[in-house]
Amino acid sequence: MQAEIIRLKKEKGICILAHAYQSHDIWEIADYIGDSFGLSQKAASAKEDTVIMCGVRFMAETVKILSPQKRVILSNSVAGCPMAEQIDAAQLRALKKEFPGYKTVAYINTTAELKTECDVCVTSSSAVKIIKAIDTDKILFIPDCNLGNWVKQQVPEKNFKFIAGGCPTHLRMTVNDVENARREHPNAALLVHPECKPEVTALADFVGSTTEIMSFAKKDDKHSEFIIGTENSIVQHLQLEAPNKRFFPLSKLCVCLNMKATTLGDVLECVTGVGGEVINLEEDQRIKAKHCIDEMLRLG
Ligand code: 13P
Ligand code: SF4
């Protein structure tokens, strides 16, 4: 299947983008792998006319928002991000009325509809830099209050309002998991994603986005063992890429079924032209949503 996907994507001039949480067999056929910020940058610069996004719906929407002339295909139509739909545009308009004078900062894990109501997007790897650069100290941060609280610790001079949103996958990791993992692997460093609960990030040796966790683990020469507090595909990728080190999941439950919805078979159907979902957005919505992604790329 991999050989056929590679042959067809070259023949048809298709670009395959894959989020870091995709499984390794999909990494091997992708043209670019990255975290949400890296994928957004690629979405803006990819030369090909057709882009297949192996990730979740908001990532494919981001490609379409930035490159409306391209045919953008979400690798599996059931792959959504539950966090992206935890608040809708009407609820956000009500919040903005409640907090006048606040800039609305949206985690990129939001629907295109919600982005039309926001001032700027951020990703886990760009949030601190962007929020520091915003020309106001009043920030209404949606939807992930855990990422938001982690950013607040790095930018204490600003005033934040949060809602009770978050990633159901990362919220499965607990302090009890940290205690058990530390006991089983006393020499390992604990690396976690900022979508984890504050009491879990507080115990970590390093907090960062998916690609930041990977590059930290590969470069760190103080440790040879790592406990990984993010989606468990990162454990698999690291073990394959750094075979002399050892990697353990913080929790076996940290699996995102949406990210894992895409299989090699789905990608083969996409390059063959019989699978996936072609993403279309109303032009009015696309233009309004583009503003906050452009701001993210400019400030980040
Ligand atoms: P990053 O890719 O920015 O680390 O985000 C993780 C995530 O949960 C994406 O859905
Ligand atoms: Fe959404 Fe969390 Fe899955 Fe990322 S890991 S796609 S934030 S549910």
Side-chain angles (χ1 to χ4, degrees), residues 67 97 115 132 257 268 280 299:
S67 303
K97 274 199 191 132
K115 288 188 176 85
K132 278 185 178 166
L257 297 180
L268 180 57
N280 286 308
L299 296 170

Side-chain angles (χ1 to χ4, degrees), residues 71-95:
R71 185 176 163 80
V72 179
I73 301 168
L74 174 62
S75 50
N76 184 322
S77 64
V78 307
C81 168
M83 178 158 56
E85 296 174 24
Q86 282 169 344
I87 174 174
D88 65 22
Q91 289 170 312
L92 179 55
R93 280 193 291 274
L95 274 173

Side-chain angles (χ1 to χ4, degrees), residues 94-249:
L95 274 173
K96 282 165 52 172
K97 274 199 191 132
E98 201 179 322
F99 301 113
Y102 278 70
K103 280 237 160 124
T104 308
V105 178
Y107 195 17
I108 196 160
N109 300 41
T110 39
T111 60
E113 187 204 13
L114 208 50
K115 288 188 176 85
T116 64
E117 295 285 339
C118 298
D119 295 306
V120 57
C121 277
V122 296
T123 66
S124 53
S125 58
S126 62
V128 170
K129 184 178 178 191
I130 291 174
I131 287 173
K132 278 185 178 166
I134 292 176
D135 58 356
T136 173
D137 60 358
K138 290 178 169 173
I139 309 289
L140 172 60
F141 189 94
I142 59 151
D144 186 352
C145 64
N146 299 302
L147 174 70
N149 268 303
W150 179 74
V151 174
K152 186 180 167 182
Q153 286 167 28
Q154 333 290 312
V155 195
E157 65 278 16
K158 298 215 173 186
N159 183 351
F160 288 81
K161 298 285 178 206
F162 300 121
I163 62 164
C167 163
T169 307
H170 285 82
L171 288 176
R172 290 183 200 135
M173 289 178 282
T174 63
V175 169
N176 201 19
D177 292 327
V178 175
E179 287 166 359
N180 289 340
R182 291 267 199 214
R183 200 175 311 115
E184 279 178 41
H185 312 291
N187 299 321
L190 172 63
L191 320 182
V192 311
H193 197 280
E195 287 174 15
C196 291
K197 292 175 190 164
E199 58 267 35
V200 172
T201 44
L203 298 172
D205 299 301
F206 175 79
V207 182
S209 76
T210 48
T211 48
E212 286 170 339
I213 287 176
M214 290 198 68
S215 63
F216 182 95
K218 285 192 271 186
K219 280 189 205 139
D220 182 21
D221 49 18
K222 291 199 201 81
H223 300 91
S224 59
E225 296 190 349
F226 300 86
I227 302 158
I228 303 297
T230 190
E231 213 278 342
N232 284 342
S233 50
I234 300 299
V235 180
Q236 179 196 30
H237 302 313
L238 279 168
Q239 196 58 74
L240 286 161
E241 296 200 343
N244 296 330
K245 295 180 173 178
R246 296 201 68 198
F247 301 93
F248 307 98

